[in-house]
Amino acid sequence: MPKLIDFPLIFTNIPRLLKALPVTLEITFFAMIFGLILGLLLAVIKINKIPVLSQVSAVFVSFIRGTPLLVQLYISYYAVPILLKYINYYNHTNFNVNAVPALLFVLIAFSLNEAAYNSENIRAALLSVDRGEIEAAQSLGMTKWQVLKRVTIPNATVVALPTLGNAFIGLMKNTSLAFVASVVDMTAQGQILAGSNYRYFEVYLSLAIIYWIMTIITEQILKLLEKRLTIFQKATQVVAPASTRRFWFSQRLEAPVHDQHSTSHEAVQSPNRI
Amino acid sequence: MINIQHLTKQFNHQTVFEDLNLQIDTGEVVGIIGPSGAGKSTLLRCLNLLETPDAGSIQINDQKFVAPKISDRDKIKFRQETSMVFQQFNLFRQKTVLGNVTEGLITVQKRSKAEAETIARAQIEAVGLTDRIDYYPQQLSGGQKQRVGIARSLAMQPNILLLDEPTSALDTELVDEVLTTIQQVVETQKNLTVIIISHELSFIRDVATRIVVFDVGGIVEQGTPTEIFTTPKKERTKQFLQRYQRQALTS
Ligand SMILES: Nc1ncnc2c1ncn2[C@@H]1O[C@H](COP(=O)(O)OP(=O)(O)OP(=O)(O)O)[C@@H](O)[C@H]1O
Ligand SMILES: [Mg+2]
């Protein structure tokens, strides 16, 4: 009888699977960035009740939330070629449908999906920003855009970070659906591997381990990021030196270092989350 | 110089004041007093265009607003004439004391970071908070927060300082430090026009050059502190002052 489970294979699979990690990360990061930008746009449209656009975006959000991601991926996979054929036909252009990378279909589907889900979170976070701070910025003479950039977004980020972080983790795992558009991400790579030795169970265990570790790492990064962004709430906390605090999402908060005693006689208020 | 003419402001068709006229010269210190809900804050917010008046005009030096419309660009120029100190401080919570004061200098006035910090440090020194310069608002007492608010406003070098009940959100023992700061500002900056709404009547009496009494509908009367506090002409002013004296005695 052959071995029921090939334990070493679970681990020797991992380096081979990791070859496709860049594809997984690429989809995750691009979809998140586009999802955030478009999500912010949708949120601003909804908050300002911009006619026509806000109705269109409401239908869009409802559609995305009301349909399975897998179905959205298939729609994107088939819609883009049809769209190109249309453009070719009416503009007499000659785009090659087959030359469009499969990754594009996947990116479009994931980005739109993220945008729809993020837009509601972003909207709630924007609305939670203290009116008084916004008025202070306005009365200093800031333009609408400056107020958004300097006050509203930084404050909303702190509020939205936990939910956006979860969305990011969810997206990272959902990228495993990319195989339906014949993109070779980690999961697809696993299927290819297993196709040659029929060790499906081992390969899916290897994949599970990788995704799990990636999630744990992401959670830790998010925790650090949250700590960094909420530094202003920690009244007497000693802050790590600047060199260990440099993140891709760095904000221009120069953090002071306090010892416990210097503020002990101060009326320090309890941290109030916005 | 401020010239308010025929100013009207409504909220949802409810008139707060109508056909309000008020002229204020450069360097005047105007105290606005009056009962709650009279529209004092609304008038002050109109001067900063945080509220848009429905009719009338406001001229502040070279900037003029004629109701009901103003372009975004003109609005920003208009706002730079004045600077507002808020009842609830409204500090930028994510920024340190220094960051709060440099924010407008860098973002709005486009000064370099170094230049902004020099100005800010001097201003923070003036309100006596140099040892708290790296603190976040959360780590400050109410009185300290309001002094930062004042420093933030003054750093912008406005022609007009607007203060809307700057001490009414403070515990009693913290009121004096803020009033002292305001008094120092008034004494040292003779060209600064100050408009202050306050229920600290004895302070207003000391510091103001003119008192404007407000009640629902608009201005009741105005005059020097002595005129208003010792020989008020209007019945509504008398009632208001009596009510206040009674409250002061019982508290
Ligand atoms: N944003 C708003 N929307 C609707 N009504 C408002 C708004 N702001 C103020 N009001 C109304 O306008 C009137 C004047 O309010 P305002 O805040 O100017 O009074 P005030 O004299 O500053 O009173 P207080 O001493 O209590 O601060 C009140 O009846 C108030 O309810
Ligand atoms: Mg008021």
Side-chain angles (χ1 to χ4, degrees):
Chain A
M1 196 181 97
K3 269 193 291 183
L4 272 181
I5 304 173
D6 184 349
F7 281 107
L9 186 62
I10 298 172
F11 297 98
T12 50
N13 270 339
I14 289 178
R16 282 188 260 175
L17 292 171
L18 286 179
K19 284 201 191 100
L21 178 65
V23 177
T24 293
L25 292 181
E26 217 175 326
I27 302 172
T28 310
F29 279 108
F30 278 108
M32 195 68 199
I33 288 165
F34 286 126
L36 282 176
I37 295 170
L38 191 57
L40 177 64
L41 212 67
L42 292 176
V44 171
I45 286 171
K46 185 157 182 192
I47 288 172
N48 291 310
K49 301 193 182 79
I50 299 173
V52 187
L53 280 184
S54 69
Q55 280 83 357
V56 171
S57 82
V59 172
F60 166 74
V61 171
S62 163
F63 174 79
I64 296 283
R65 286 157 77 101
T67 52
L69 176 56
L70 190 60
V71 173
Q72 291 163 18
L73 276 163
Y74 277 123
I75 290 178
S76 166
Y77 186 62
Y78 290 109
V80 175
I82 292 174
L83 200 70
L84 276 184
K85 279 181 193 157
Y86 245 86
I87 294 170
N88 281 346
Y89 185 82
Y90 283 105
N91 298 332
H92 306 288
T93 49
N94 201 9
F95 293 119
N96 184 355
V97 174
N98 296 319
V100 179
L103 195 60
L104 185 70
F105 311 130
V106 173
L107 276 179
I108 290 174
F110 279 116
S111 302
L112 295 182
N113 188 275
E114 276 307 303
Y117 278 95
N118 289 343
S119 74
E120 282 302 297
N121 296 333
I122 293 174
R123 189 178 74 91
L126 288 177
L127 289 177
S128 76
V129 177
D130 178 24
R131 193 72 230 145
E133 248 182 84
I134 293 173
E135 286 188 347
Q138 288 172 336
S139 80
L140 285 177
M142 287 194 202
T143 63
K144 280 181 185 152
W145 170 242
Q146 286 170 333
V147 174
L148 197 67
K149 190 169 140 227
R150 305 292 301 166
V151 177
T152 316
I153 291 179
N155 276 313
T157 303
V158 173
V159 176
L161 189 67
T163 15
L164 292 180
N166 283 339
F168 184 84
I169 290 171
L171 172 64
M172 198 165 69
K173 293 180 294 186
N174 279 341
T175 55
S176 64
L177 291 172
F179 73 89
V180 303
S182 39
V183 168
V184 184
D185 74 320
M186 271 196 311
T187 305
Q189 175 79 1
Q191 286 169 332
I192 294 167
L193 273 182
S196 61
N197 59 12
Y198 298 102
R199 285 286 177 183
Y200 283 97
F201 179 60
E202 286 81 353
V203 107
Y204 283 117
L205 269 185
S206 317
L207 280 171
I209 291 171
I210 298 177
Y211 282 112
W212 191 16
I213 291 175
M214 280 168 64
T215 301
I216 290 171
I217 293 174
T218 309
E219 278 169 346
Q220 293 308 312
I221 294 175
L222 283 167
K223 246 187 223 164
L224 281 171
L225 191 61
E226 192 173 336
K227 214 169 162 185
R228 168 112 174 76
L229 287 182
T230 55
I231 236 160
F232 63 93
Q233 292 176 337
K234 310 281 153 52
T236 52
Q237 194 194 9
V238 178
V239 173
S243 57
T244 62
R245 290 191 279 109
R246 206 146 288 155
F247 277 106
W248 50 277
F249 208 168
S250 137
Q251 281 226 341
R252 262 179 294 160
L253 297 178
E254 271 321 307
V257 179
H258 306 295
D259 61 323
Q260 307 267 306
H261 308 290
S262 70
T263 52
S264 56
H265 62 279
E266 284 296 323
V268 176
Q269 302 194 339
S270 62
N272 66 322
R273 291 292 308 265
I274 19 174
Chain B
M1 184 277 298
I2 305 173
N3 191 357
I4 302 170
Q5 297 223 317
H6 310 300
L7 206 67
T8 298
K9 176 65 192 170
Q10 304 177 327
F11 286 114
N12 319 316
H13 305 289
Q14 281 268 65
T15 304
V16 181
F17 47 75
E18 204 168 8
D19 194 19
L20 184 144
N21 298 284
L22 183 64
Q23 284 77 40
I24 296 169
D25 285 332
T26 302
E28 271 196 85
V29 178
V30 177
I32 299 182
I33 61 172
S36 184
K40 307 181 296 294
S41 299
T42 306
L43 174 65
L44 216 63
R45 290 165 61 81
C46 283
L47 290 180
N48 209 334
L49 295 184
L50 283 175
E51 303 290 354
T52 313
D54 297 296
S57 67
I58 305 171
Q59 183 168 358
I60 300 182
N61 298 330
D62 299 334
Q63 305 296 324
K64 187 159 184 178
F65 163 82
V66 180
K69 267 202 149 67
I70 184 164
S71 73
D72 281 354
R73 266 187 60 199
D74 288 343
K75 193 187 240 176
I76 280 157
K77 273 201 224 150
F78 195 89
R79 279 184 177 151
Q80 285 169 11
E81 293 286 330
T82 59
S83 206
M84 183 90 140
V85 175
F86 298 88
Q87 184 175 355
Q88 299 295 340
F89 327 125
N90 296 354
L91 297 184
F92 303 123
R93 74 190 67 197
Q94 298 198 2
K95 295 187 193 319
T96 60
V97 169
L98 184 64
N100 266 278
V101 183
T102 54
E103 181 61 40
L105 296 169
I106 294 170
T107 309
V108 177
Q109 296 186 351
K110 306 283 176 220
R111 291 176 195 270
S112 71
K113 192 163 181 257
E115 194 187 354
E117 285 189 0
T118 312
I119 298 171
R121 277 175 203 283
Q123 212 52 254
I124 292 165
E125 166 96 62
V127 298
L129 284 174
T130 301
D131 59 336
R132 294 288 181 272
I133 201 157
D134 284 332
Y135 280 45
Y136 289 99
Q138 188 112 78
Q139 299 165 287
L140 301 174
S141 71
Q144 291 170 336
K145 281 185 199 166
Q146 194 57 295
R147 279 145 68 197
V148 176
I150 293 168
R152 174 174 70 179
S153 286
L154 290 177
M156 298 297 284
Q157 288 157 339
N159 293 313
I160 295 144
L161 185 66
L162 308 172
L163 303 111
D164 188 356
E165 300 196 33
T167 60
S168 58
L170 299 177
D171 293 336
T172 3
E173 69 269 22
L174 299 175
V175 168
D176 277 348
E177 66 181 67
V178 173
L179 293 183
T180 310
T181 304
I182 296 170
Q183 187 145 25
Q184 278 164 1
V185 170
V186 168
E187 278 164 10
T188 50
Q189 302 198 32
K190 291 291 176 205
N191 281 329
L192 183 69
T193 308
V194 178
I195 307 179
I196 177 169
I197 300 173
S198 180
H199 293 302
E200 299 289 333
L201 296 190
S202 57
F203 174 73
I204 288 292
R205 185 183 187 147
D206 284 351
V207 80
T209 54
R210 175 155 49 132
I211 306 283
V212 174
V213 184
F214 235 79
D215 203 345
V216 180
I219 295 171
V220 177
E221 68 172 301
Q222 43 178 310
T224 64
T226 325
E227 282 166 2
I228 297 297
F229 285 104
T230 53
T231 55
K233 291 190 198 71
K234 295 281 161 61
E235 199 49 43
R236 280 202 282 180
T237 309
K238 286 178 198 163
Q239 279 169 5
F240 172 75
L241 291 174
Q242 266 164 16
R243 221 175 29 242
Y244 249 83
Q245 268 148 12
R246 232 176 301 139
Q247 269 173 24
L249 284 175
T250 49
S251 69

